[in-house]
Amino acid sequence: MSTKPTPRVRVPAQAKPGELIEIKTLISHEMESGQRKDASGQIVPRKIINTFIAEFNGKQVFEADWNPAISANPYQSFFFKATESGEFTFTWKDDDGSNYVSKNKITVA
């Protein structure tokens, strides 16, 4: 892969107690299937993000299992009911064991 995967996350900085917020995530990743060959005829190794996990204050609130058919630069959004201030941790897990992590805080008042 030519570039390091770059996660981007959009979480509102503030929310009201009980408000339903939308969280949007995108990660720049080529999602190599392992079925192509490079210019020298060698198979390009498979490198696919297979799991996305969102945690809030250490508790898992969302998980998605992705398969080889997922597109490059995968986008994931979901809704979350804001009840307290805290920190989200977003983790993308790659076939090769790599993890890409992004953290975002939200204030509920």
Side-chain angles (χ1 to χ4, degrees):
M1 191 160 80
S2 59
T3 60
K4 183 179 181 206
T6 307
R8 287 179 257 163
V9 178
R10 187 168 287 178
V11 175
Q14 296 183 334
K16 295 177 183 170
E19 182 179 354
L20 195 62
I21 60 170
E22 184 175 14
I23 297 170
K24 299 175 181 180
T25 71
L26 178 103
I27 186 163
S28 299
H29 191 286
E30 294 175 357
M31 303 294 272
E32 184 56 58
S33 69
Q35 298 177 0
R36 289 185 323 114
K37 293 184 179 181
D38 62 15
S40 64
Q42 299 295 317
I43 293 179
V44 178
R46 176 179 154 134
K47 188 164 173 67
I48 295 175
I49 294 175
N50 56 48
T51 308
F52 168 76
I53 298 171
E55 296 176 327
F56 182 71
N57 289 340
K59 279 187 166 177
Q60 184 173 315
V61 295
F62 184 85
E63 180 175 4
D65 291 326
W66 294 342
N67 297 296
I70 194 82
S71 68
N73 307 318
Y75 169 83
Q76 179 74 62
S77 70
F78 62 96
F79 290 91
F80 178 79
K81 188 174 187 177
T83 58
E84 64 182 353
S85 297
E87 183 175 61
F88 285 98
T89 303
F90 304 98
T91 306
W92 293 262
K93 296 184 177 194
D94 210 321
D95 280 345
D96 68 0
S98 299
N99 288 332
Y100 313 106
V101 179
S102 181
K103 296 184 179 203
N104 294 75
K105 293 183 180 182
I106 185 169
T107 302
V108 176

